[in-house]
Amino acid sequence: TRYLADWQLLQVSFFDEFPSGSDIKQRPDIMVDFLGKLFLGEKAVTALADLLIPAGELLPVSYDSTVGYLFNPLVIAEELNAVDTANVKRDQWDALLAPAFIEDKLSSAILFRTALDSYRGVYCSDTFKRAIEKAGLKGIVCSEDLRDRPPV
């Protein structure tokens, strides 16, 4: 779903799960939510804009009197015929255990989402992961483990 045409600036806030007692709040440079979006602070947008703009929408938000962005990925694995249906893992109730993709069909995709997990996940290329690492961005973990649940 595209949002940019009707987007209005949102005020967002961060919950300090582990308060340090300091008045200085730690904010992520980049983080993923559970709705298939990324939050990006100024440092992340500066470092990643060239990769992000072709792959989706940068939606402005305000937090702590600062401008940040939500990134809405618009590349969908199913639209690229990139889902490897024979290797998708599901449990006895048809809940997704692990998605599977045809990497050759995703070669141009920096970031993408999939209907397999109801568009909740954000999947990235090695190029994107390396750009995050090169910029020293904090707040996100990129993993090759594609299971749709924490490891047991």
Side-chain angles (χ1 to χ4, degrees):
T1 304
R2 293 181 180 271
Y3 300 105
L4 190 57
D6 297 315
W7 189 257
Q8 295 181 5
L9 185 71
L10 290 179
Q11 177 70 34
V12 298
S13 58
F14 294 91
F15 174 73
D16 192 359
E17 188 172 0
F18 302 104
S20 63
S22 170
D23 288 340
I24 300 171
K25 296 181 180 179
Q26 298 296 316
R27 298 292 178 245
D29 297 316
I30 182 171
M31 64 179 272
V32 66
D33 69 13
F34 294 106
L35 300 172
K37 310 287 184 282
L38 296 176
F39 166 81
L40 301 115
E42 293 177 58
K43 181 179 177 182
V45 169
T46 300
L48 303 173
D50 290 344
L51 294 173
L52 293 171
I53 290 169
E57 301 175 310
L58 285 168
L59 308 168
V61 297
S62 174
Y63 70 101
D64 298 338
S65 302
T66 305
V67 174
Y69 293 87
L70 291 179
F71 179 73
N72 179 34
L74 295 175
V75 177
I76 306 299
E78 286 78 3
E79 292 175 6
L80 299 174
N81 294 315
V83 175
D84 183 357
T85 53
N87 289 305
V88 171
K89 305 288 186 235
R90 295 190 176 275
D91 68 13
Q92 64 267 33
W93 298 284
D94 203 35
L96 181 66
L97 296 176
F101 303 106
I102 303 167
E103 291 187 30
D104 290 348
K105 293 187 177 186
L106 293 167
S107 62
S108 64
I110 295 297
L111 290 166
F112 66 95
R113 295 185 298 165
T114 179
L116 292 170
D117 65 2
S118 301
Y119 307 100
R120 292 181 297 122
V122 178
Y123 301 86
C124 74
S125 67
D126 286 336
T127 301
F128 190 74
K129 180 181 177 203
R130 283 191 304 272
I132 290 170
E133 292 167 350
K134 180 179 178 184
L137 301 177
K138 306 291 184 217
I140 194 168
V141 174
C142 298
S143 173
E144 292 184 16
D145 182 353
L146 297 183
R147 291 181 290 180
D148 193 42
R149 61 189 171 97
V152 179

